[in-house]
């Protein structure tokens, strides 16, 4: 006789709140026997299975997506144990909207820039190797 496994039980999530696409670590018991055993993962009613990374039977890492509910359970489903339950919940925060007068930060990938320390004596002007448009902003030319 084969012994059936217990259903998954989520006992912790870190962080327990965040905006959409926040990376979260889910902890619990019986979260699957391997990556292929994990067949469902929902946070606040949103299917997170595509971003799920099974680490062990007690840990899964994933990203929270756009959810319908702003607070909800974490439900894990496995082939071996079926649909699980959760003793914790996740609170989905609404991202701040940035208007034209609000300050914001922009990430520029510095790896594409010229490193002046290593090529200083090669006779190549540093500006010639810098990207012309590092932010990728298209500017329309008027009067073409």
């Amino acid at each position: 006789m084969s012994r059936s496994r217990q259903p998954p039980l989520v006992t912790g999530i870190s962080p327990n709140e965040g905006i959409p696409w926040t990376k979260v670590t889910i902890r619990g018991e019986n979260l699957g026997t391997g990556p292929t055993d994990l067949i469902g993962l929902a946070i606040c009613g949103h299917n997170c299975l595509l971003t799920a990374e099974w680490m062990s039977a007690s840990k899964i890492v994933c990203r929270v997506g756009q959810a319908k509910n702003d607070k909800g359970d974490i439900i894990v489903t496995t082939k071996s144990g079926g649909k699980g339950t959760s003793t914790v919940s996740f609170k989905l925060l609404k991202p701040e909207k940035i208007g034209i007068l609000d300050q914001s930060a922009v990430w520029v990938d510095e790896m594409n820039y010229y490193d002046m320390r290593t090529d200083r004596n090669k006779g190549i002007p540093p500006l010639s190797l810098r990207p012309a448009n590092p932010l990728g902003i298209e500017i329309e030319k008027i009067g073409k």
Side-chain angles (χ1 to χ4, degrees):
M1 264 173 103
S2 68
R3 203 174 108 198
S4 66
R5 289 188 52 93
Q6 296 290 326
L9 173 64
V10 175
T11 57
I13 188 165
S14 177
N16 60 2
E17 64 180 21
I19 62 172
W21 309 118
T22 297
K23 189 173 187 176
V24 297
T25 300
I26 299 165
R27 299 234 178 239
E29 301 170 7
N30 306 315
L31 300 180
T33 58
T36 57
D37 192 37
L38 182 65
I39 58 171
L41 175 60
I43 299 176
C44 296
H46 180 267
N47 183 357
C48 301
L49 188 60
L50 288 177
T51 63
E53 185 178 352
W54 185 90
M55 307 300 271
S56 69
S58 60
K59 180 179 175 183
I60 298 172
V61 176
C62 72
R63 293 203 178 266
V64 177
Q66 295 281 356
K68 298 173 188 167
N69 307 324
D70 59 350
K71 189 168 187 176
D73 290 339
I74 300 92
I75 306 299
V76 175
T77 308
T78 63
K79 290 178 190 175
S80 61
K83 188 174 182 178
T85 56
S86 177
T87 62
V88 295
S89 61
F90 184 83
K91 182 178 181 185
L92 189 66
L93 304 173
K94 297 202 183 322
E96 283 187 38
K97 300 215 182 217
I98 299 175
I100 58 171
L101 300 178
D102 296 328
Q103 291 183 357
S104 66
V106 176
W107 180 265
V108 177
D109 186 10
E110 295 177 7
M111 294 302 293
N112 292 330
Y113 279 118
Y114 176 82
D115 187 359
M116 292 176 19
R117 293 171 301 198
T118 58
D119 292 335
R120 183 169 285 184
N121 297 323
K122 290 188 180 176
I124 301 171
L127 293 176
S128 68
L129 294 178
R130 290 188 180 174
N133 190 1
L135 296 178
I137 299 173
E138 295 292 327
I139 300 174
E140 288 186 35
K141 293 189 179 181
I142 300 173
K144 272 190 166 184

